[in-house]
Amino acid sequence: MSTARERILEATEELLATKDALAISTRAICDLAKVGMPEIYRQFGDKQGLLTAVADIGFARFLEAKRRNPLTEDPVADLATAWDSHVAFALRNPYLYRLMVTPTGDAKPRAIVEAQAILLAAVERCRDAGRLRMAPELAGQAILSANVGVCMMALSFPELFGDAGISRAVRDAVIGKATGDEREDGRIGTATVLAQTLLGTLTGTTAVDAEALAGLTGTASPEA
C-alpha cells in the first residue's frame, strides 16, 4: 500500500500533466491523494516543498533518459542527440519541465548539478577527441543554457518558436561554435546568427557578423 507521501507526490504529478503548478491548489492535490490538508505540511513543510520534491522526481526521470542516450564514436553527434532528447522530454512534459527549470523560492531542485555533470562529461569527450574550442565548463554551461532557452520558448510561444527547425538551428550553431563544427542553416538564419552571437559574447573570441546582425535588427551595418 502506498504511503500518504507517495500518494501526494503521485497526485501532484497527475495534476501537472494538464496544468501549470501555479494553477494547482493544495485542496485539489489532497482530494486526489485522499489525504487531509495538514498532511502536505507534515510531509513537505509547505506547497513549495512539495513542488520541489516533484521537480526532483522530474529531474530523476530526465537524467534516466539522458543516461540511455547511446554513445557513438562521434562525440559531437552525441551532443546533438543529447540536445534533441532534452527537447523531446520538455515537449512531452511541458508543465513538469517548467517546474523543473523555473523554481521559485529558496528551495531549488538539486539534480540540476547532476544534469550539468552529465553534459560536462559529454563535452569532455569532445575535448579528448580534439574537437573543443573553449573550456569544457563554459561549453557545457552555454549548451545547457541554450537548450533550456529553446525549450522554454517553444513551450511558451509555440506558434512562434515551436518549429523543430528552430531547435536544430540553435543546436547546430551553439554546438558548432563550441566544437568548430559550424554549419550554415539558411532555413533558420535568425536563430543561427543569434546563437553564434551569444556564444561570441560569452567567450569573447568570436567576431560578430555585423551585416547579418544588421539584417536581423533592420539597422544599417556599422561599415555601411
Side-chain angles (χ1 to χ4, degrees), residues 146-224:
N147 209 171
V148 171
V150 162
C151 293
M152 290 300 293
M153 293 301 279
L155 294 177
S156 300
F157 306 99
E159 68 284 357
L160 295 176
F161 299 98
D163 189 288
I166 295 175
S167 175
R168 289 193 295 270
V170 178
R171 176 198 70 192
D172 292 346
V174 174
I175 294 177
K177 188 61 64 174
T179 64
D181 290 352
E182 294 132 307
R183 281 179 267 173
E184 194 68 34
D185 190 338
R187 297 167 303 160
I188 316 287
T190 299
T192 303
V193 172
L194 289 179
Q196 290 175 339
T197 302
L198 169 64
L199 262 292
T201 302
L202 285 171
T203 62
T205 58
T206 304
V208 175
D209 186 334
E211 290 187 4
L213 198 54
L216 296 180
T217 60
T219 60
S221 168
E223 300 177 0

Side-chain angles (χ1 to χ4, degrees), residues 75-152:
V76 176
D78 292 346
L79 273 181
T81 297
W83 175 293
D84 292 342
S85 71
H86 184 141
V87 174
F89 179 91
L91 296 180
R92 286 195 310 269
N93 306 277
Y95 301 111
L96 176 61
Y97 183 81
R98 282 197 185 97
L99 177 63
M100 290 163 52
V101 300
T102 58
T104 59
D106 295 332
K108 301 291 192 296
R110 297 180 297 276
I112 187 66
V113 176
E114 186 176 352
Q116 183 67 8
I118 290 175
L119 178 55
L120 179 60
V123 169
E124 288 175 339
R125 289 184 65 228
C126 297
R127 178 202 60 194
D128 295 344
R131 297 178 68 184
L132 195 65
R133 302 201 313 185
M134 62 180 69
E137 293 79 6
L138 177 58
Q141 290 169 336
I143 292 169
L144 184 56
S145 298
N147 209 171
V148 171
V150 162
C151 293
M152 290 300 293

Side-chain angles (χ1 to χ4, degrees), residues 5 8-9 12 40-41 43-56 99 104-108 110:
R5 181 183 180 86
I8 291 170
L9 290 170
T12 307
I40 285 181
Y41 300 94
Q43 297 290 341
F44 303 98
D46 55 18
K47 182 182 177 183
Q48 186 55 51
L50 167 59
L51 293 177
T52 298
V54 172
D56 277 325
L99 177 63
T104 59
D106 295 332
K108 301 291 192 296
R110 297 180 297 276

